[in-house]
C-alpha cells in the first residue's frame, strides 16, 4: 500500500483561532491513524493548508503559498498537498482542476474522513469532501496541541454560525451553528489542567448562544463558564467571540463573581453608525451597544474591552465613519482588530449591495481608525502604570533572554525581568511603564 509509506504530515494554519483549534483536531485524527506530525514543512510527505476566506487578501495569501508548495512538488513529485478549512468548498474546482495544485480538499466538517481521503489519494485518485454537517463537533477527539507554549490552549465549544451578518462568509463556509456537549468541554479543560496548562480560551463564532440539553436541563454559556471555571481556580478561562446582541447580564455577573473567569471581553462592534449596523444585519443599534458597554463597566469594573471594526462597508458616508470614530472614543477600547471591507461571494452584501466606497477612501478611513485606536490603547495602558497584577507567565520575551512575558486577566501582555517563577506559574507584577501594545513591569 502506497499510503503506508506516506508518514509525515505538516499543517500550516491561516485565519482565526477556530482554525488553529481545527488543525489540532486534524493532527489528532491523523496521528491516531498511523501518520506522524512534523514541524518542518520541508520534510513533510503531506502538507495541509488550513485556509481562511474571511477577506480577499486572506485567500490571496493562501494561493501564493500553494504556488510555493507546487514548486516544492516539482522537485519532489511524491509530495502531497491538501487544502482544508474555509476555502475548501469555494475554491476546490478552481484550485484542484484548473491549477493542478491540490491532491486533496476537505471542508471544516470532513476531518474525520481524512484517513480515507488519503487512502484514496494513495491509489492515485484526487479526493474531495466538503459536505457540511449539522451535528459534527469533534467532541470526542483530544486535540494534539501544535505550536503550543504548554500554558494556554484553545477549546472549541461550538461550530458554524447562523447570524448572517451581511458581509460575512462564515455561515456559508462553516454551516449551521451547533454546540458541543458540556461534559466533553469540562473534561478537556481538566485534561489540559492536568497536563500543566493554566489558560483556556473557549471558542465559537457567537459563544453567547451556546446551548446544550441534557435531560431536562439546558446548559447556557453562563452555566458552562461556571462549570469550566470550577475545574480549578488556577485555570484561567477566556472566550471568544461574544455577539453584542446577546451578551447577557447573567453572563456578566458570572464573570464578575468568578475570579478565574478573565476580565476581558471582546465585543465586535463593526461600525458606530446605525445605518451601517442595519445594512450589516448586526441586529443591534449604536444605543444598544452602548448600553451593553455600560453594563460591562458597571458589573465588571476594570474589565478590558476590545473590538473588531470594518471600514468602508457599502454606502458608508463620511458621517457614518465619524460615528465609528466617536463610538470608539466613547468606549475607549483597549485594543481592536480593524479591517477594510472586502466583498465576499455568497454573502447578502455581495448579492444585494454595492461595494461602492472607493479604495482610497477605505484606506484613509481605516488609517484614521487605526490611528485613533493607537491613541486609545496608549492612553489606556498609561493608566496601568503603578497598578499591580497577577501575571500568568507564558515564556521568554522576544526582546531579551533575561525577560519573561505573560498576561494579566485583562489579556494585556506584560514584560518583566525573569525570576525563578517560570512558564505556567503566576507572578505578581507592578506595572512601571507602557507602550500602546505592551506593559512593562517588575515582580514584587
Ligand atoms: N464571529 C466573530 C468573528 C468573525 S470574523 C464575530 O461575529 O465577531 C472576524 C472579523 O472579521 C469580524 O468581526 C469582522 O470585523 C471581520 N470581517 C468579517 N467579514 C469581513 C469582510 N467581508 N470584510 C472585512 N472584514 C470582515
Ligand atoms: Fe460572521 Fe456575523 Fe457569524 Fe461573526 S456573527 S461569524 S461576523 S456572520
Ligand atoms: Fe477565516 Fe473561516 Fe475563521 S473564514 S476567520 S478561518 S471561520
Amino acid at each position: 500500500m502506497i499510503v503506508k509509506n506516506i508518514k509525515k504530515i505538516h499543517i500550516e494554519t491561516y485565519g482565526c483561532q477556530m482554525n488553529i483549534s481545527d488543525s489540532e483536531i486534524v493532527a489528532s485524527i491523523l496521528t491516531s491513524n498511523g501518520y506522524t506530525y512534523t514541524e518542518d514543512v520541508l520534510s513533510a510527505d503531506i502538507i495541509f493548508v488550513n485556509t481562511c476566506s474571511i477577506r480577499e487578501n486572506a485567500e490571496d495569501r493562501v494561493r501564493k503559498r500553494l504556488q510555493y508548495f507546487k514548486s516544492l512538488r516539482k522537485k519532489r513529485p511524491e509530495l502531497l498537498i491538501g487544502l482544508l478549512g474555509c476555502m475548501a468548498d469555494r475554491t476546490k474546482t478552481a484550485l484542484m482542476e484548473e491549477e493542478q495544485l491540490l491532491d486533496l480538499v476537505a471542508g471544516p466538517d470532513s476531518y474525520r474522513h481524512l484517513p480515507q481521503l488519503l487512502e484514496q489519494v494513495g491509489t492515485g485518485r484526487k479526493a474531495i469532501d466538503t459536505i457540511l454537517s449539522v451535528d459534527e463537533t469533534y467532541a470526542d477527539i483530544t486535540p494534539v496541541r501544535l505550536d503550543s507554549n504548554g500554558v494556554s490552549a484553545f477549546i472549541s465549544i461550538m461550530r458554524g454560525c447562523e447570524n448572517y451578518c451581511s458581509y460575512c462568509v462564515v455561515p456559508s463556509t462553516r454551516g449551521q451553528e451547533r454546540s458541543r456537549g458540556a461534559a466533553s468541554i469540562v473534561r478537556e479543560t481538566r485534561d489540559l489542567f492536568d497536563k500543566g496548562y493554566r489558560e483556556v480560551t473557549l471558542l465559537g463564532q457567537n459563544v453567547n448562544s451556546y446551548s446544550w440539553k441534557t435531560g431536562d436541563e439546558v446548559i447556557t454559556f453562563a452555566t458552562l463558564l461556571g462549570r469550566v471555571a470550577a475545574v480549578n481556580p488556577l485555570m484561567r478561562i477566556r472566550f471568544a467571540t461574544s455577539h453584542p446582541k446577546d451578551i447577557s447580564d447573567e453572563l456578566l455577573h458570572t464573570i464578575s463573581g468568578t475570579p478565574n473567569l478573565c476580565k476581558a471581553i471582546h465585543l465586535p462592534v463593526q461600525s458606530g453608525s446605525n445605518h451601517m449596523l442595519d445594512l450589516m444585519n448586526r441586529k443591534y443599534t449604536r444605543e444598544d451597544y452602548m448600553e451593553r458597554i455600560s453594563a460591562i463597566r458597571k458589573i465588571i469594573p476594570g474589565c478590558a474591552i476590545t473590538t473588531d471594526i470594518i471600514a468602508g462597508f457599502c454606502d458608508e458616508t463620511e458621517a457614518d465613519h465619524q460615528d465609528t470614530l466617536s463610538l470608539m472614543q466613547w468606549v475607549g477600547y483597549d485594543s481592536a482588530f480593524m479591517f477594510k471591507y472586502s466583498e465576499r461571494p455568497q454573502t447578502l452584501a455581495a448579492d444585494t449591495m454595492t461595494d461602492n466606497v472607493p479604495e482610497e477612501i477605505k484606506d484613509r478611513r481605516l488609517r484614521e481608525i487605526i490611528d485613533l485606536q493607537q491613541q486609545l490603547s496608549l492612553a489606556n495602558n498609561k493608566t496601568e502604570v503603578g497598578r499591580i497584577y497577577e501575571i500568568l507567565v507564558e515564556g521568554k520575551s522576544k526582546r531579551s533572554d533575561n525577560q519573561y512575558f505573560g498576561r494579566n486577566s485583562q489579556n494585556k501582555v506584560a514584560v518583566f525581568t525573569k525570576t525563578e517563577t517560570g512558564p505556567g506559574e503566576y507572578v505578581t507584577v507592578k506595572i512601571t511603564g507602557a507602550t500602546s501594545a505592551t506593559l512593562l513591569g517588575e515582580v514584587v
Side-chain angles (χ1 to χ4, degrees):
M1 290 245 304
I2 307 168
V3 175
K4 292 296 164 199
N5 299 329
I6 301 171
K7 278 285 186 218
K8 282 188 256 168
I9 62 155
H10 177 83
I11 311 173
E12 208 168 275
T13 307
Y14 294 83
C16 62
Q17 297 169 335
M18 191 75 75
N19 253 18
I20 298 175
S21 167
D22 279 6
S23 291
E24 299 183 333
I25 288 164
V26 170
S28 171
I29 292 170
L30 289 172
T31 52
S32 323
N33 278 275
Y35 297 89
T36 57
Y37 188 81
T38 172
E39 296 287 336
D40 173 25
V41 66
L42 293 177
S43 71
D45 301 300
I46 311 163
I47 301 172
F48 289 104
V49 194
N50 194 359
T51 61
C52 175
S53 284
I54 201 83
R55 285 166 290 275
E56 199 173 2
N57 58 12
E59 289 197 354
D60 291 345
R61 213 171 308 142
V62 167
R63 281 174 206 273
K64 273 210 195 87
R65 198 60 185 155
L66 288 174
Q67 291 301 336
Y68 167 67
F69 293 146
K70 196 176 175 182
S71 74
L72 289 183
R73 198 164 56 180
K74 282 222 177 82
K75 287 175 227 146
R76 288 172 51 207
E78 70 288 356
L79 178 68
L80 298 180
I81 299 166
L83 184 132
L84 312 173
C86 291
M87 277 170 73
D89 193 52
R90 297 178 10 70
T91 54
K92 58 184 183 216
T93 325
L95 290 176
M96 199 173 236
E97 287 162 20
E98 292 160 29
E99 300 184 44
Q100 293 292 311
L101 272 175
L102 301 168
D103 302 288
L104 180 155
V105 176
D109 291 340
S110 306
Y111 300 149
R112 275 181 209 274
H113 305 153
L114 281 171
Q116 293 91 297
L117 294 170
L118 281 170
E119 273 190 41
Q120 190 173 322
V121 171
T123 62
R125 287 173 299 151
K126 302 211 171 224
I128 304 183
D129 184 348
T130 60
I131 295 167
L132 290 169
S133 154
V134 294
D135 55 10
E136 176 64 273
T137 60
Y138 301 109
D140 55 316
I141 290 174
T142 307
V144 169
R145 305 292 164 183
L146 303 172
D147 197 21
S148 168
N149 60 4
V151 178
S152 41
F154 296 125
I155 300 184
S156 212
I157 65 160
M158 299 171 77
R159 299 183 71 82
C161 183
E162 283 166 48
N163 284 306
Y164 293 100
C165 302
S166 60
Y167 50 82
C168 183
V169 79
V170 173
S172 99
T173 63
R174 288 195 165 249
Q176 230 168 290
E177 180 182 289
R178 66 216 96 127
S179 297
R180 167 180 170 187
S184 84
I185 298 167
V186 172
R187 207 179 311 123
E188 189 172 335
T189 309
R190 191 171 298 124
D191 181 50
L192 284 165
F193 186 84
D194 292 342
K195 288 178 177 150
Y197 286 82
R198 291 296 176 264
E199 180 181 87
V200 293
T201 305
L202 308 183
L203 296 179
Q205 297 298 349
N206 175 13
V207 288
N208 308 120
S209 59
Y210 177 88
S211 174
W212 182 256
K213 241 182 128 184
T214 39
D216 289 341
E217 191 192 16
V218 177
I219 299 172
T220 63
F221 183 57
T223 314
L224 176 75
L225 268 186
R227 292 195 187 173
V228 173
V231 164
N232 196 298
L234 287 177
M235 185 68 131
R236 274 186 178 171
I237 319 298
R238 304 187 183 280
F239 56 88
T241 302
S242 294
H243 195 299
K245 76 178 159 58
D246 38 27
I247 179 161
S248 66
D249 281 357
E250 183 204 4
L251 177 69
L252 300 182
H253 285 293
T254 306
I255 297 170
S256 161
T258 318
N260 57 328
L261 290 180
C262 289
K263 308 298 178 263
I265 294 183
H266 185 62
L267 203 62
V269 66
Q270 315 299 359
S271 169
S273 145
N274 278 333
H275 183 217
M276 288 298 103
L277 291 171
D278 184 36
L279 287 183
M280 289 173 166
N281 193 28
R282 286 292 285 181
K283 305 185 190 87
Y284 54 85
T285 62
R286 175 187 175 97
E287 294 71 27
D288 296 335
Y289 186 88
M290 291 167 85
E291 188 279 323
R292 288 291 78 200
I293 296 292
S294 301
I296 296 172
R297 298 257 187 253
K298 190 165 135 239
I299 300 171
I300 320 173
C303 187
I305 301 178
T306 56
T307 201
D308 294 350
I309 296 173
I310 298 176
F313 187 59
C314 308
D315 288 349
E316 188 186 73
T317 63
E318 213 46 43
D320 294 320
H321 170 58
Q322 289 302 325
D323 282 347
T324 296
L325 295 173
S326 69
L327 187 60
M328 290 172 69
Q329 196 101 45
W330 183 85
V331 179
Y333 291 110
D334 290 281
S335 69
F337 295 112
M338 298 154 283
F339 312 102
K340 249 191 321 181
Y341 172 57
S342 162
E343 187 179 86
R344 308 309 294 131
Q346 290 167 42
T347 58
L348 194 69
D351 292 345
T352 65
M353 301 170 207
T354 316
D355 180 12
N356 53 5
V357 176
E359 208 53 27
E360 62 276 14
I361 293 185
K362 280 188 189 171
D363 282 332
R364 195 254 303 152
R365 289 181 187 164
L366 179 62
R367 176 98 323 261
E368 289 176 4
I369 288 169
I370 292 172
D371 287 347
L372 173 58
Q373 186 51 50
Q374 184 87 5
Q375 293 168 28
L376 295 174
S377 299
L378 182 63
N380 274 320
N381 283 354
K382 291 265 185 227
T383 67
E384 305 284 13
V385 174
R387 291 188 186 147
I388 291 174
Y389 286 111
E390 284 301 300
I391 304 285
L392 174 60
V393 184
E394 287 183 37
K396 256 190 258 166
S397 151
K398 271 182 221 136
R399 287 181 227 159
S400 148
D401 273 356
N402 290 328
Q403 291 187 313
Y404 274 143
F405 81 98
R407 278 162 218 268
N408 65 6
S409 172
Q410 287 74 2
N411 211 18
K412 291 195 179 175
V413 172
V415 175
F416 49 91
T417 305
K418 237 165 138 178
T419 56
E420 272 161 31
T421 322
E425 295 181 279
Y426 291 93
V427 284
T428 308
V429 170
K430 183 174 181 182
I431 306 305
T432 53
T435 69
S436 63
T438 317
L439 304 176
L440 309 170
E442 52 196 41
V443 176
V444 291

